[in-house]
Structure formats: structure tokens, C-alpha cells
Amino acid sequence: MSEALEQNRADLENLSALGHAKLYERHQANIKREVLLKSQDATADELRPLFAERKTLIEQIQHVEGYEDFMRPPTFENDILPVLTPGASKLALTVKASLDPPVSPVLVYFSVTPQGGLALIVNADEIMPVWLDDLTENALREKVQGADGGKEWGGYMKAYFNQNKDRDAWFKAVDEIGSWLWDVCMGAVIKSLHADQTRKVFENLSCLQVTLIPQGMLGLLPLHAAWTDDIQEIQLFEKVELLNTKRLYALDLLNITYAPNARAIANAHKVAPTEADSLFIVDNPDKSLPYSSIEVQAILTHFTDKRQHLDDTSALHETVMATLAKYPVAHFSTHGWSQLNQPLQSGLLLANGQHITLRDILSLPLDSSQLAILSACETSVQGTKLGDEVVSLATGLVQAGVRGVVASLWSVSDLSTMMLMTRFYDLWKKEDVPPIDALRLAQIWLRDKTNGEKLHYFTESLDLEDKRFKPLKRYFKTRTHSLDEAEHVHPFHWAAFGYHGI
């Protein structure tokens, strides 16, 4: 995806103004021929001459002033090191302001091979390998796809596809995959970070911001929800307090974000931070989500003046395409879906049965977008054709220049999503918590708070007597005998969403 976006850079058109119109036309014709041949299921032998021609064209473009780095392979100095500048999120800096020197952001690359896995922990000072002997290609494939090599879906994905028939099996699969992720990769990474120079961060903050860059099918899994209930392991982290879960989750210790590669993060850094004071929002265009209106009304209270609110009559494809790039914050409260074999066709539902796909979104000038919240199902579920890079709605938006994206790994609950998003926006807009931190804190809040505590929160923040909030009031009425229970403790309710970008 990085290569595709680079080849379609808007400023390539300037080659014509620089006296290289023929070169530009040949390059564009080459790309169009590739699209045509691939649509006709061309073989590798048929595509090879096309790629050879493109290599020559790229070399010629690199000789044009201003295009010296066009399509050059990424390097540590140019693409990774700039991302690793000292500092962290505003909340983290506030809490650990006394730490000296400041801890630089951390990237964690995951690689999976037939012999085992490797995590590379990268910061501005060093690259630290963590060997993951049990994270083999076969083990990962068996957990995600099943033991037959993918001829039929099995394992975690089978439970997901069958969740409407067997909800208990899906909940069990989410639990089991989280435990397995701790055992084969996340536990070792966290313990390595804890034992390294970042230990003082855990002691003072109990949370370090890291960006995970997973490979292949690992990108289908909620790494931030990896967990252990082993008392000896939990005791390694003295500052952690376990409430209702009796487990230690990765996000209790790490403020985790995701990215497809360092270049995408660098692209996000190029977007100048602006005031996120105006909102573009798509509101339940098919009217099938009873709690969506509550979510949207709660969000709109934070954007009283500058907002574009599209609903079941106005959220049309043409309107969305013409308007989306004009707002720094975009929120989609709708249905979403992933196309595993054609990720560019993954999309979001709009009004009148229309939809917007990743391919559509990538055609927009999103280089002034600050944050996109995809409050819908499967918005960070990746395609399965590319083994080395994750391609989804979320990562596509980050690659295209959106600074931050909140997106989901599975079909989410309308109710718990509304609660999560309401708390997320309150933390961000009312309490001035940066979005990365706000999502993590909202997830912990949703997981740990009891029904009674949530009732008190929504009574204080929303007028439950307002008819627009009738579904939420009715929900709490049915919980009068279970106010001491933490109903959303299972990771299904809070772990689907992840933060992508910066």
C-alpha cells in the first residue's frame, strides 16, 4: 500500500510543468496497464515486462529535481529514526515530567517465520531483539485459520464467522487468543521493556506508549488484549491494581497504538496538528442501531458550532466524498465490513444502501485530517493476501495521511460501543486527554466499572429523561438487581477497538 500511494502521489502531475510530460504520461499508462492486466488475472510472466519498464521509469523520475527519493526503499535514517524523536503523549509527559532523560517512543516490529518469531523493540537509542520461539507460522496459522492450512476456516476465525450461531464459542475464542498472545509474544515483549531502561516509566507511570507493527495474520488479533492470570508474572509489575478482571492485560501496562509501517507514522507526523474543533459525522444511515443516536447526540455536545451531521437521508456517497476531507475530525457511526481477499473493497454503509470503500477514501486529499473514528464493525480487519503488511480501512487511512484512526477488529456491540465512545469523547474533549490515552482509559473504564457506576456516570452526563436516550434508560432499568456487577469485563466488549497512527 505504501508503494501504491507513492506511485499515485498528487505532485507527480508537476512533472509535466517541469518539462517531463512524456515521462509522467508513460508512468501513468504503465500503472493503468497493471490494473487492467491484474483484473484479467494476468500471470507473473505477463506482468514481468511491465514491472521492468516501471523500474526504468522510476529511475528516470528520480533524476528530476525534487523527486530524488521517489519510490526509494525505506531506510532506518530516513523513515524510522525521525519517528523516534524524544517525547510521548501529552498525558504521559504531564505525569512523568520529572523523568530525566525523557523516554523516546518505541516501535515493536513482529516477524513470524517457520522456525519462530522475532520482536524488534526499536527506540532512538537501540534495537533490541526478543526471540519468540513459540510464535511460528504454523502455530499462528493454526490458531487463526485452523489446522488444515486454510482450506476451510477453523480456529479463531471460524468462531468469529459462526458467532451468530454460537456466541459462547466466540467469547471463548477471544479469551483463548488473548491468553495465547501473552504466552507467545506480548508477555515476553512487555517483560523485556520492563527490564530495560524503560523500567522507571513503569515505576512512575505504569504505562509506556508503544507502536506495534504486526506482520501478516498477527494483524487480525487484539495484541493489546493479551492477558495473563499467572500471579508470579503479575507480581513483576508492582504498580498494577487488578479489579474485576483478576487478569493483567497488555493495555494495563502499555499504551498501545498500531501502524502498518514506520513510513505511515512519518506521513502522519507530516500533518500539522490543528485544533480538532469541527466534526464530520455519519449517523446510523440505515436506522438499525438503537444506541447509535445516543452515541451521536453525546458526541455532538462537544462540537456545538462547527459540524456536519449526515443521517439516513443526507449520508449519500456523493456528499460524503465531497465533504469528508474538509473536517479535521470524522466519526462514522454505522455498519462496516471487511473484504479479506480484496481489502480495498472494505467499506462503510451510507444512506440508501450506498457505501464508501477504502479505495474511495484513498482518492481523497486527507492530509489535513486529524482523527477518524470508525465506530463500526470490522474497520481494522485486514486483508489476507499480503503477508508483509496489514491493509485495512484503518491502516489505509493512516497511510493516506490521517494522523489517528480508531477502528475495530470484529463485529461490535451497539451498546458497549456507545458507552466506550461516549467516555472516549468526554475524556478527550472535556478532560483534555489526548485521543491515544483517551481510548485506552475509556476501555479500562468500560471493563472495570460496575453497572451502578455506569448508571451514575450517564445520569450525570446525559439527561436520561430525554426521549432520545430512552433505550439507555430502559437498559439500566433491567439492571437494577445487578448494579454491583461489571457486565462488560469480557474483552469482547472493550477490546475490539484499537488506535492506529499518532
Side-chain angles (χ1 to χ4, degrees):
M1 182 174 286
S2 293
E3 293 177 356
L5 289 170
E6 180 73 359
Q7 287 180 148
N8 288 283
R9 280 168 46 180
D11 66 353
L12 278 182
E13 296 178 1
N14 292 334
L15 287 170
S16 298
L18 295 172
H20 301 278
K22 291 291 185 181
L23 180 58
Y24 172 72
E25 291 170 3
R26 289 170 59 201
H27 179 265
Q28 296 304 104
N30 181 282
I31 292 175
K32 290 179 181 178
R33 286 203 303 275
E34 180 192 354
V35 173
L36 176 62
L37 287 173
K38 285 185 174 180
S39 70
Q40 298 171 347
D41 296 324
T43 65
D45 287 338
E46 292 172 324
L47 290 168
R48 193 168 288 113
L50 195 69
F51 294 148
E53 179 192 21
R54 185 177 304 166
K55 181 180 178 182
T56 300
L57 293 170
I58 288 171
E59 290 173 351
Q60 292 175 5
I61 293 174
Q62 290 170 347
H63 283 91
V64 178
E65 183 177 358
Y67 294 84
E68 293 84 358
D69 294 328
F70 177 68
M71 293 299 293
R72 290 198 185 279
T75 65
F76 183 82
E77 290 76 12
N78 293 334
D79 296 278
I80 297 178
L81 192 58
V83 176
L84 301 172
T85 53
S89 66
K90 184 168 68 173
L91 177 65
L93 286 172
T94 301
V95 177
K96 62 182 177 65
S98 62
L99 295 184
D100 186 28
V103 177
S104 69
V106 177
L107 305 181
V108 181
Y109 289 83
F110 288 96
S111 180
V112 186
T113 77
Q115 284 71 42
L118 170 65
L120 286 179
I121 299 175
V122 183
N123 61 35
D125 300 315
E126 67 175 337
I127 300 175
M128 180 171 60
V130 179
W131 300 101
L132 309 170
D133 294 341
D134 295 327
L135 185 60
T136 65
E137 285 182 355
N138 284 339
L140 178 60
R141 187 181 302 109
E142 183 171 338
K143 281 290 180 181
V144 176
Q145 288 186 302
D148 66 352
K151 296 176 182 177
E152 292 185 8
W153 286 107
Y156 173 84
M157 294 304 295
K158 179 180 180 180
Y160 176 61
F161 292 138
N162 292 336
Q163 63 177 295
N164 291 333
K165 298 178 181 177
D166 193 342
R167 191 76 158 178
D168 290 341
W170 168 230
F171 273 48
K172 181 180 179 183
V174 173
D175 253 347
E176 289 179 346
I177 207 71
S179 176
W180 182 78
L181 287 170
W182 181 279
D183 291 341
V184 301
C185 61
M186 288 303 295
V189 168
I190 291 171
K191 282 178 274 191
S192 295
L193 287 167
H194 181 261
D196 193 39
Q197 77 244 17
T198 56
R199 180 179 176 85
K200 59 185 177 182
V201 177
F202 286 99
E203 292 172 348
N204 288 272
L205 183 65
S206 80
C207 185
L208 171 71
Q209 183 173 318
V210 301
T211 298
L212 305 184
I213 301 176
Q215 174 194 0
M217 286 188 290
L218 205 57
L220 289 166
L221 305 178
L223 294 166
H224 57 283
W227 63 269
T228 182
D229 57 4
D230 185 293
I231 297 300
Q232 290 184 334
E233 288 202 332
I234 292 173
Q235 288 175 345
L236 293 173
F237 309 98
E238 301 90 346
K239 299 295 181 180
V240 175
E241 295 182 10
L242 302 184
L243 298 176
N244 299 302
T245 65
K246 307 303 181 186
R247 298 173 176 176
L248 178 66
Y249 283 91
L251 91 166
D252 289 317
L253 294 167
L254 300 176
N255 199 358
I256 293 172
T257 64
Y258 295 91
N261 51 46
R263 179 175 285 174
I265 306 173
N267 287 342
H269 276 295
K270 292 176 183 177
V271 179
T274 60
E275 187 67 28
D277 58 352
S278 60
L279 172 72
F280 174 88
I281 191 165
V282 172
D283 177 10
N284 190 19
D286 72 343
K287 293 298 180 185
S288 65
L289 302 170
Y291 290 100
S292 175
S293 61
I294 300 173
E295 176 182 322
V296 169
Q297 290 304 318
I299 293 168
L300 288 174
T301 62
H302 301 292
F303 301 87
T304 54
D305 298 324
K306 304 174 183 177
R307 63 194 196 188
Q308 176 89 1
H309 179 199
L310 303 182
D311 56 18
D312 59 318
T313 60
S314 56
L316 301 172
H317 184 272
E318 182 179 3
T319 305
V320 173
M321 291 291 289
T323 314
L324 179 59
K326 298 178 181 179
Y327 289 81
V329 181
H331 186 105
F332 286 84
S333 182
T334 181
H335 293 282
W337 60 88
S338 167
Q339 293 280 10
L340 294 180
N341 292 325
Q342 294 180 301
L344 292 181
Q345 296 305 313
S346 299
L348 297 160
L349 183 68
L350 303 177
N352 291 350
Q354 298 177 8
H355 58 271
I356 184 170
T357 66
L358 175 56
R359 188 184 299 277
D360 293 329
I361 292 171
L362 289 176
S363 69
L364 297 173
L366 297 175
D367 52 1
S368 62
S369 299
Q370 300 295 308
L371 186 63
I373 297 95
L374 308 181
S375 180
C377 299
E378 299 187 346
T379 47
S380 68
V381 176
Q382 67 179 60
T384 54
K385 282 196 171 182
L386 290 179
D388 60 338
E389 197 168 294
V390 176
V391 181
S392 67
L393 278 165
T395 56
L397 284 165
V398 174
Q399 291 275 26
V402 180
R403 286 175 63 88
V405 180
V406 176
S408 65
L409 275 169
W410 54 72
S411 294
V412 293
S413 160
D414 183 27
L415 169 66
S416 58
T417 297
M418 176 275 296
M419 291 184 172
L420 178 70
M421 292 299 169
T422 301
R423 181 61 180 152
F424 166 77
Y425 275 91
D426 279 353
L427 285 164
W428 174 30
K429 303 301 288 185
K430 280 186 180 180
E431 302 182 29
D432 200 28
V433 176
I436 291 175
D437 306 83
L439 178 63
R440 171 182 172 268
L441 294 176
Q443 289 173 309
I444 293 173
W445 175 88
L446 180 62
R447 181 192 70 188
D448 291 348
K449 294 301 182 183
T450 64
N451 292 338
E453 289 170 320
K454 292 188 180 86
L455 172 59
H456 176 75
Y457 172 79
F458 284 106
T459 301
E460 292 290 316
S461 62
L462 302 174
D463 180 8
L464 294 185
E465 298 304 317
D466 189 320
K467 66 179 181 180
R468 293 175 300 178
F469 304 135
K470 185 177 179 180
L472 186 58
K473 181 179 180 180
R474 185 167 55 243
Y475 163 78
F476 280 117
K477 274 190 174 182
T478 65
R479 299 301 189 274
T480 55
H481 300 295
S482 60
L483 293 180
D484 292 333
E485 294 182 14
E487 187 169 330
H488 302 105
V489 69
H490 192 281
F492 163 78
H493 297 288
W494 54 265
F497 287 94
Y499 194 99
H500 302 256
I502 63 173

